[in-house]
Amino acid sequence: MTMVAPVRAEATDASVQAPPGAGAEDHPGQTPSKIGWLVFWMSGTLLAFVVAAVSVRAMSKTFNAFEMMTLRSAGGLVILCVLGACQPGLWTHVRANRMGLQAFRNVVHFGSQICWTIAIAMLPFATVFALEMTIPAWVTILAVIFLGERMFASRASALALCVVGAMVILRPGHEAFQPAALIMLLGALLFAIAAISTKKLVTTESTFSIMLWMNLMQLPLNFAGSDPTFPVRFVPALILPAIGICCAGLAIHYCLANAFRCGDAIMVIPMDFLRVPLIAVIGWGFYGENPDLYVFAGAALIVVGVLWNVRGEAQRNGALAQASLPGGHGAEPHILRPRA
């Protein structure tokens, strides 16, 4: 894929320390993450995912996955047009730029959302969201290879802890490997690819433009798999779920794109692990999907992993800030990178 940057391949020791007097220029490609804003936007992403999941579950008995996503894309376009009418300046950032990457990202994301919608209708919430936790592993690998991001030791350790937590909740067994689970695993890989593409797009494209092209491209794809007469099956009881899926569908991408602007993909995605314990609580409270001790044990590991990751990022921010001061010095964070 020519659209992504090659990985940095220079060999380095896992614990290299910058010499005294090193400045910010001695840390190429490293900028402090905006941790406060990153946490804010990821909190919005998590909330939107929960709203979307509950809305899909409510509509799944009436519409198939393509029909639900057709409503999401059409509703998203309506909302974006209303926003554009209220703030005409948003349209100035919409342009036919990097359309190859836009199309690739939207087709891959189209596949991931169909897989996710099917799984939400067939599997317990906690199982679906635990299976989704393979996404950070895929994003980490792809971000190192295609974005040239650095795998710090704290990031790798936090990621491993989060994966263990998700597996404690999932406890792979007979239920986990039914066909719907395999569909969700495919969806996780596709979503990771879409996330890396989004990270590339936000460097030059506005969030409004990314969302507009996404809905424009995905609407005909979703409609192609729908019954053309499906709107006649719409009943008043589905008004709130329909609003939820439209608004949450936009909010997920708006919040996630802004989170990517605040930090590396490897930093952003592990926070998504918090969806597992959160959705387990939703499943227990609204659908009688009783979580057991394994869910709470796994949730504890996930929370520790996320906090560990945030703490490591805060320490790196401090080191970079100190290095940027005149005469300042700081240590190069421990990193794990591919050797040449």
Side-chain angles (χ1 to χ4, degrees), residues 132-146:
E132 279 196 293
M133 293 307 102
T134 58
I135 291 174
W138 287 116
V139 168
T140 297
I141 294 170
L142 295 172
V144 171
I145 295 174
F146 294 116

Side-chain angles (χ1 to χ4, degrees), residues 64-77 80 99 101-117 187 190-191 193-195 197-198 201 209-226 230 245-246 248-250 252-253:
N64 66 31
F66 292 97
E67 291 163 353
M68 285 185 280
M69 292 301 100
T70 297
L71 288 173
R72 185 197 65 79
S73 296
L77 284 174
L80 289 172
M99 295 308 293
L101 182 55
Q102 292 272 21
F104 174 79
R105 184 255 181 202
N106 291 328
V107 170
V108 170
H109 179 259
F110 163 76
S112 74
Q113 70 177 9
I114 292 299
C115 292
W116 184 80
T117 305
L190 294 176
F191 186 86
I193 296 172
S197 301
T198 302
L201 283 171
S209 179
I210 292 172
M211 293 192 299
L212 183 68
W213 285 117
M214 178 189 73
N215 285 283
L216 280 173
M217 291 181 180
Q218 290 183 357
L219 179 58
L221 294 174
N222 286 315
F223 189 73
S226 306
F230 82 90
I245 201 171
C246 293
L250 278 181
I252 288 170
H253 297 282

Side-chain angles (χ1 to χ4, degrees), residues 297-315:
L301 291 173
I302 290 170
V303 171
V304 170
V306 170
L307 292 177
W308 189 350
N309 202 24
V310 172
R311 178 177 177 273
E313 201 72 12
Q315 290 177 333

